[in-house]
Amino acid sequence: HRDECDGTYRRAHPMWGRAFAWALRRAAVVLAQNEDDARLLRRTVGASAQVIRNAHPLGPLEPQASRDIILWAGRSAGFKRPRRFLDLARRFPDERFVMICQRATGDERYETLQDEAEAVGNVQFIPRVPFHEVEAYFRRARVFVNTSDAEGFPNTFVQAAAAGVAILSYAVNPDGFLTAFSCGIDCGGHFDRMVQGLRFLLDQDRYVEIGLNARRYAEEHHDMAKGVEQYKALFRGLAGR
């Protein structure tokens, strides 16, 4: 997670933060999910991290014409700010929004969130979908929305890209890939930009081309076969020591 790389965790937990940094500096290998986090770990902890990006199997691409939803998927953790998705849905009453939101550990306000979601007429709230079934929702999505304040590299980004879905992100854009590869829109932490971004993606079906860009990015950087080879090389190197 970005908070564990940029010093946020250490500032919030001084004692555990020192232990965290000590452990990282003594690990045989530290893996980061993106280059930005690897650089931050070197600066804040003094640990050298190798980047292996999250990987997923890449199945066939579904036709864009069959897509009918705006999708959010994740846990109800506070830093993911799921209520931003509800605020976004209220701004687009004629669009269908689907929120797959599993209760985060220790979340005592989950039922309140569920009630709020169900009160928004164009939102379908789904408490949980097994991992092997969630791909069907990505295949239906025109846009995938991430509302988090910070993350590492969300697996949902890879799932969206693999399914050819344009990504609309409130603040998370590891290594600037959304803009560098034209996979979606980084809103820079501004809700108004998120509203404008969704309107832009839906207008003239721009999400189609941007979703295809995302698929090409996934094929180049997040293919499971390539990730497996990286891990095999890593483990062989450790065994050789």
Side-chain angles (χ1 to χ4, degrees):
H1 194 287
R2 176 58 53 87
D3 287 355
E4 295 159 352
C5 300
D6 67 4
T8 300
Y9 177 80
R10 295 182 67 191
R11 289 190 295 271
H13 307 279
M15 184 175 69
W16 285 112
R18 287 195 295 272
F20 174 70
W22 178 89
L24 287 182
R25 286 193 294 267
R26 283 156 181 77
V29 174
V30 176
L31 296 179
Q33 298 180 90
N34 60 77
E35 298 288 350
D36 287 342
D37 285 350
R39 285 192 289 270
L40 288 167
L41 282 170
R42 282 195 295 272
R43 191 181 77 197
T44 62
V45 178
S48 178
Q50 176 181 342
V51 175
I52 297 183
R53 293 179 174 84
N54 301 343
H56 285 268
L58 301 179
L61 192 61
E62 293 290 322
Q64 296 276 5
S66 62
R67 297 169 187 255
D68 62 344
I69 62 172
I70 313 299
L71 179 64
W72 189 100
R75 295 174 293 114
S76 63
F79 71 87
K80 290 183 179 288
R81 306 294 184 191
R83 285 176 173 82
R84 284 184 183 138
F85 186 69
L86 303 183
D87 292 338
L88 187 64
R90 293 185 183 100
R91 302 289 286 271
F92 293 84
D94 295 329
E95 299 293 336
R96 296 182 61 189
F97 288 72
V98 173
M99 185 176 202
I100 301 172
C101 185
Q102 185 170 336
R103 182 197 293 265
T105 302
D107 183 4
E108 298 180 356
R109 300 187 61 203
Y110 181 78
E111 285 78 10
T112 301
L113 172 64
Q114 185 171 1
D115 290 343
E116 291 177 17
E118 292 174 350
V120 183
N122 59 330
V123 173
Q124 179 185 6
F125 185 93
I126 303 174
R128 183 179 180 275
V129 175
F131 183 80
H132 66 279
E133 296 179 8
V134 75
E135 183 180 344
Y137 289 91
F138 281 95
R139 290 198 300 265
R140 288 179 54 196
R142 291 190 283 172
V143 177
F144 175 75
V145 178
N146 181 286
T147 54
S148 299
D149 289 331
E151 297 205 32
F153 198 116
N155 278 297
T156 50
F157 277 9
V158 186
Q159 291 170 287
V165 183
I167 299 168
L168 179 67
S169 176
Y170 175 78
V172 178
N173 186 13
D175 293 341
F177 88 100
L178 290 175
T179 43
F181 296 91
S182 299
C183 297
I185 296 176
D186 173 11
C187 302
H190 299 280
F191 181 76
D192 287 344
R193 292 185 191 173
M194 179 166 273
V195 174
Q196 295 165 7
L198 182 56
R199 187 171 291 119
F200 174 84
L201 291 171
L202 296 177
D203 188 37
Q204 301 179 39
D205 294 343
R206 292 190 181 97
Y207 67 88
V208 174
E209 181 180 354
I210 293 174
L212 294 175
N213 292 340
R215 170 66 183 212
R216 285 189 286 269
Y217 166 79
E219 291 172 352
E220 180 65 26
H221 297 280
H222 297 279
D223 185 356
M224 179 70 80
K226 295 178 182 179
V228 166
E229 292 304 317
Q230 290 179 289
Y231 276 106
K232 286 164 66 175
L234 169 67
F235 295 144
R236 287 191 186 109
L238 288 173
R241 295 182 187 181

